[in-house]
Amino acid sequence: MEKKQPLLTIRPHFSPLLAALESMAVTMAGTMALSLLGGTVIFAVLSTIGLGRFISGGAIYGSLFVLGLALLPPLYYEIKRRAYRGTTYNFYDDCVEFHCFRYFINRRIGRIMFRDITNVTEHANVVQQREKITSIYLFAPSVTAAQH
């Protein structure tokens, strides 16, 4: 059986400004977690094997903090850009098929029948409004219940 061609294919718009702003927020939280948790683990391991007295805790925490500030923004930006590039919504006569990434790394492939949609909402934050970008949410309880 031959697969039908979609009536319409939509790909989300990637906004570099929005991704950069989001990466700053993720960087603040991620850098704190990396430096505090990672620094504590590294310092505990070094202290256990007897090297804790040769390397100061401040150097470990500071190094991880600087490393987080340097690496997390471009890493987040690139992961988000690739996730958007791999996201498609194919519209057919009776359904929409989607290929998207949940939390940027978990690929989701699914289909929502139009008859199952109970509500449609549109959301946008201040930056999205400035960029003329919105998020559209389709609510289909029968589909959501089957996925969990």
Side-chain angles (χ1 to χ4, degrees):
M1 184 173 157
E2 188 175 314
K3 185 167 171 83
K4 295 189 314 185
Q5 291 295 316
L7 301 173
L8 174 68
T9 298
I10 296 177
R11 293 184 176 276
H13 173 72
F14 177 74
S15 168
L17 173 64
L18 188 58
L21 291 174
E22 287 175 356
S23 74
M24 285 192 288
V26 168
T27 296
M28 287 188 288
T31 298
M32 293 302 290
L34 175 69
S35 61
L36 291 176
L37 297 175
T40 301
V41 168
I42 291 171
F43 189 70
V45 168
L46 289 175
S47 295
T48 302
I49 62 174
L51 297 175
R53 62 178 169 237
F54 300 113
I55 301 171
S56 73
I60 294 170
Y61 290 111
S63 297
L64 289 176
F65 187 79
V66 170
L67 190 67
L69 288 178
L71 295 181
L72 286 179
L75 178 66
Y76 178 86
Y77 185 90
E78 185 61 24
I79 288 172
K80 184 164 185 162
R81 189 178 66 78
R82 287 183 185 208
Y84 270 57
R85 189 177 348 149
T87 299
T88 59
Y89 300 93
N90 294 317
F91 289 84
Y92 297 93
D93 290 333
D94 58 346
C95 67
V96 59
E97 288 183 352
F98 57 88
H99 301 144
C100 62
F101 290 85
R102 189 172 195 173
Y103 308 114
F104 308 128
I105 56 174
N106 297 324
R107 185 165 198 184
R108 293 181 66 196
I109 299 173
R111 175 179 45 214
I112 298 176
M113 302 302 289
F114 290 139
R115 68 175 181 271
D116 294 333
I117 297 173
T118 58
N119 195 12
V120 178
T121 62
E122 183 179 12
H123 297 258
N125 62 34
V126 175
V127 177
Q128 285 176 317
Q129 287 176 348
R130 181 183 175 280
E131 295 281 311
K132 295 181 175 56
I133 299 171
T134 60
S135 298
I136 299 172
Y137 295 94
L138 304 176
F139 294 94
S142 61
V143 174
T144 305
Q147 290 180 354
H148 294 282

